[in-house]
Amino acid sequence: MFWGFMRRLQRVKRSNGQLLQIREIFEKRPEQVKNFGISVRYNSRTGTHNMYKEYSDTTLNGAVEQMYKEMGGRHRAARSKIQVLTISVIRGSKCRRFRVSQFHDGAVKFALTRRRPRVGFEKHRASFRPFRSS
């Protein structure tokens, strides 16, 4: 995969290059949520397309993983057909996509679905006790 990108982007073949070291780069603050802007080029059945996507995640690897899954789901693009051009961390005020910026408000509220009464009182305890009918 690496040499395929190098051959296309920098015109360097595997026989002319040498890998000296491979290290994974970790986030400085993996507990903080950040906004990532990713520029993508991918080949579809009809041609080559450029895209800009925004994701909210704690790590860069998580944002890229979201991008691969979304591209596979929405556009049926395989990982081998996708080229990540640039990745940048962007501020909340610079986000362009509503899907990311809707959660920037501090007063975001989520609906509580399927609330059940607590089984704390004696009168409710018999209602929720399992029994086998004969």
Side-chain angles (χ1 to χ4, degrees):
M1 185 78 135
F2 173 76
W3 290 112
F5 285 124
M6 288 300 289
R7 187 172 59 245
R8 276 186 242 127
L9 298 176
Q10 301 293 330
R11 305 190 78 184
V12 175
K13 294 195 304 185
R14 179 185 286 183
S15 60
N16 295 334
Q18 184 178 4
L19 293 179
L20 300 177
Q21 187 177 25
I22 297 174
R23 283 189 301 156
E24 184 177 356
I25 300 172
F26 295 101
E27 293 286 330
K28 292 179 182 174
R29 293 184 178 175
E31 68 277 352
Q32 183 180 8
V33 177
K34 295 172 280 297
N35 302 312
F36 294 96
I38 302 176
S39 297
V40 176
R41 175 186 298 142
Y42 79 100
N43 294 327
S44 69
R45 296 179 189 126
T46 57
T48 304
H49 307 283
N50 295 321
M51 281 188 179
Y52 174 75
K53 299 271 191 187
E54 288 180 357
Y55 299 97
S56 181
D57 206 307
T58 56
T59 62
L60 182 105
N61 291 341
V64 172
E65 191 66 30
Q66 281 186 45
M67 184 268 307
Y68 277 127
K69 288 182 179 180
E70 183 184 358
M71 292 294 289
R74 288 183 193 235
H75 304 284
R76 300 292 188 260
R79 285 178 181 246
S80 60
K81 303 287 184 183
I82 299 172
Q83 297 178 28
V84 177
L85 301 176
T86 60
I87 301 174
S88 60
V89 178
I90 52 178
R91 291 197 317 256
S93 60
K94 298 287 183 181
C95 285
R96 297 187 232 168
R97 305 291 185 253
F98 176 73
R99 197 172 61 86
V100 175
S101 62
Q102 66 182 340
F103 297 109
H104 291 167
D105 186 16
V108 174
K109 295 182 180 179
F110 296 98
L112 296 174
T113 58
R114 200 156 181 242
R115 297 184 81 175
R116 296 176 137 186
R118 279 186 63 211
V119 188
F121 301 107
E122 191 68 38
K123 64 179 182 179
H124 293 303
R125 214 170 270 160
S127 302
F128 297 104
R129 183 170 294 144
F131 67 95
R132 183 174 297 170
S133 61
S134 54

